[in-house]
Amino acid sequence: MQIGNTELYQIRNGKINPYQDRASIFVKLESQNPTKSIKDRMVYHIVSQARETSSDETTFVSASSGNTGTSLAYFCKQFNFDCIIVTNTKCSEEKINACKEHGAKVIVADSNASPDSDEHYQNMAINLAASNKNYIDLNQYGNKQNPESYFQTLGPEIWEQTEGNLTHFVTGGSTCGTIMGVGKYLKGKTSNLEIILADPFGSSISDFVVGREVISNLGSYVIEGVGKDSIPKLLDRELVNSVITIKDQEAIDMCHKLRSYEGLNLGGSSGLNIMAAVKLASKLPKDSKSKIVTIGCDSGDKYQSKIYNENWLKSNDFSSI
Ligand SMILES: Cc1ncc(COP(=O)(O)O)c(C=O)c1O
């Protein structure tokens, strides 16, 4: 079992990045982690430390859009802990099934529940964890060990693999652990680097970052694992230089293009990230020799019933390529 040390893949196909004269785009393939997502880094970091203070009775609880849940279920099984995952109706069947296959109990909340109601999946997990002294809440939305895990592993890997030669880091956020941990590490290495948040059109995070009024439930988007209807506690907007918003269809199109032209099998948030990187590249000066790094957050295997399914695309009014 290897966590991290994933490949940094360069996009070379001009149909995906037609702006190679402006910027090269590199994707960190976090889909290569044991449960095929970036979350293995964070979950392993937290659970392996929590083991020292836990008992045989310990049950880990987590709110998750699916990947953290799968990862937590996987490590709980390895370390012999019980596990309860609270997700919502937006989570793909593949991710729910993966949590169950690793032995977790899964509770599915309504994805339309308001962020301040007890029915919201994050609040359900908090209340559940508080109801039993043997429950430990992973608390990925408030736990400083979340960004710390990326600061300690993902940031240094990106720095070494690019030999310190990168100009922009672009990624989406949910807990914002990735953008904060990697962003802090890389900015500590070079102040010339720009950190850019890629956000689904309709998410509240980008409005908060640029200082616009934040409205909960601003809009709905189907891309899983990124964007939020509230402000992530771990987000320090001072670290973020700018934001790029991406529509669902743009992210979905990018996923299909990555499969066809690069043979990359990635999930919707990776499509969103890479689309944001391409939009950024289009705006950079010619011959600027910019190097953009972004994240392939998880595997396309987790979305066969959704963004890679013709019927699902049609019934949700998306076109496929
Ligand atoms: C598929 C996917 N992409 C991206 C992210 C965002 O990562 P972070 O929570 O570190 O902001 C998540 C988080 O749940 C995710 O599941």
Side-chain angles (χ1 to χ4, degrees):
M1 170 190 68
Q2 175 179 288
I3 302 156
N5 286 317
T6 53
E7 188 181 343
L8 186 68
Y9 180 94
Q10 182 171 4
I11 301 284
R12 295 192 187 270
N13 194 299
K15 290 204 169 97
I16 295 177
N17 178 16
Y19 311 105
Q20 316 254 1
D21 54 340
R22 296 166 194 261
S24 19
I25 296 176
F26 294 83
V27 188
K28 189 79 169 133
L29 293 180
E30 291 300 295
S31 47
Q32 294 175 344
N33 282 308
T35 73
K36 302 184 183 179
S37 95
I38 189 166
K39 294 292 182 176
D40 287 342
R41 293 181 188 263
M42 182 260 296
V43 173
Y44 180 75
H45 183 73
I46 298 176
V47 174
S48 54
Q49 287 182 44
R51 269 174 93 191
E52 287 155 27
T53 52
S54 60
S55 73
D56 290 349
E57 319 274 276
T58 297
T59 293
F60 279 90
V61 174
S62 181
S64 164
S65 61
N67 279 330
T68 297
T70 308
S71 187
L72 184 61
Y74 173 84
F75 289 112
C76 279
K77 194 169 190 188
Q78 294 211 349
F79 297 145
N80 264 326
F81 293 119
D82 286 335
C83 176
I84 307 174
I85 304 303
V86 188
T87 186
N88 65 30
T89 41
K90 198 169 156 183
C91 182
S92 74
E93 242 176 83
E94 288 90 329
K95 286 194 271 185
I96 292 177
N97 290 341
C99 294
K100 289 181 181 163
E101 274 159 28
H102 294 306
K105 181 177 165 198
V106 182
I107 299 168
V108 183
D110 183 356
S111 60
N112 293 318
S114 128
D116 48 16
S117 75
D118 282 349
E119 283 72 43
H120 192 274
Y121 76 117
Q122 284 178 235
N123 300 333
M124 277 174 83
I126 292 169
N127 293 338
L128 180 68
S131 71
N132 188 318
K133 67 175 175 28
N134 291 321
Y135 287 0
I136 297 182
D137 187 357
L138 194 77
N139 182 24
Q140 62 166 334
Y141 295 95
N143 193 336
K144 296 224 165 73
Q145 289 171 304
N146 171 354
E148 182 183 270
S149 69
Y150 301 114
F151 182 91
Q152 289 180 2
T153 68
L154 187 53
E157 284 175 36
I158 292 173
W159 184 252
E160 275 159 34
Q161 286 171 312
T162 55
E163 296 172 338
N165 188 8
L166 76 163
T167 54
H168 302 80
F169 177 68
V170 184
T171 198
S174 167
T175 67
C176 289
T178 311
I179 194 164
M180 289 294 107
V182 173
K184 197 169 156 204
Y185 181 85
L186 294 176
K187 279 215 170 164
K189 286 286 192 185
T190 167
S191 53
N192 290 331
L193 181 89
E194 286 197 23
I195 305 291
I196 293 128
L197 174 86
D199 208 29
F201 195 78
S203 156
S204 306
I205 308 180
S206 35
D207 280 347
F208 173 71
V209 172
V210 299
R212 275 197 296 263
E213 187 192 358
V214 173
I215 303 166
S216 299
N217 283 334
L218 193 65
S220 64
Y221 46 90
V222 300
I223 299 302
E224 290 175 44
V226 277
K228 271 264 150 289
D229 47 13
S230 55
I231 306 311
K233 280 194 209 135
L234 297 170
L235 173 62
D236 170 8
R237 63 181 166 187
E238 296 304 315
L239 203 73
V240 181
N241 293 89
S242 55
V243 298
I244 298 177
T245 49
I246 302 291
K247 295 194 176 113
D248 284 335
Q249 185 70 62
E250 294 177 298
I252 292 169
D253 286 349
M254 181 53 83
C255 286
H256 286 260
K257 277 194 196 172
L258 289 164
R259 245 192 198 186
S260 302
Y261 303 128
E262 293 280 358
L264 290 179
N265 174 30
L266 296 170
S269 68
S270 312
L272 175 130
N273 281 349
I274 296 162
M275 188 64 222
V278 172
K279 282 198 176 183
L280 171 66
S282 75
K283 297 205 175 80
L284 294 170
K286 269 196 175 170
D287 301 319
S288 66
K289 293 201 167 49
S290 299
K291 274 196 180 171
I292 304 171
V293 173
T294 189
I295 306 286
C297 309
D298 67 358
S299 163
D301 291 354
K302 296 172 186 250
Y303 308 93
Q304 293 306 306
S305 67
K306 293 182 114 181
I307 61 174
Y308 292 110
N309 179 304
E310 282 297 324
N311 293 334
W312 184 88
L313 288 172
K314 265 192 210 134
S315 57
N316 285 279
D317 295 327
F318 293 116
S319 58
S320 59
I321 50 170

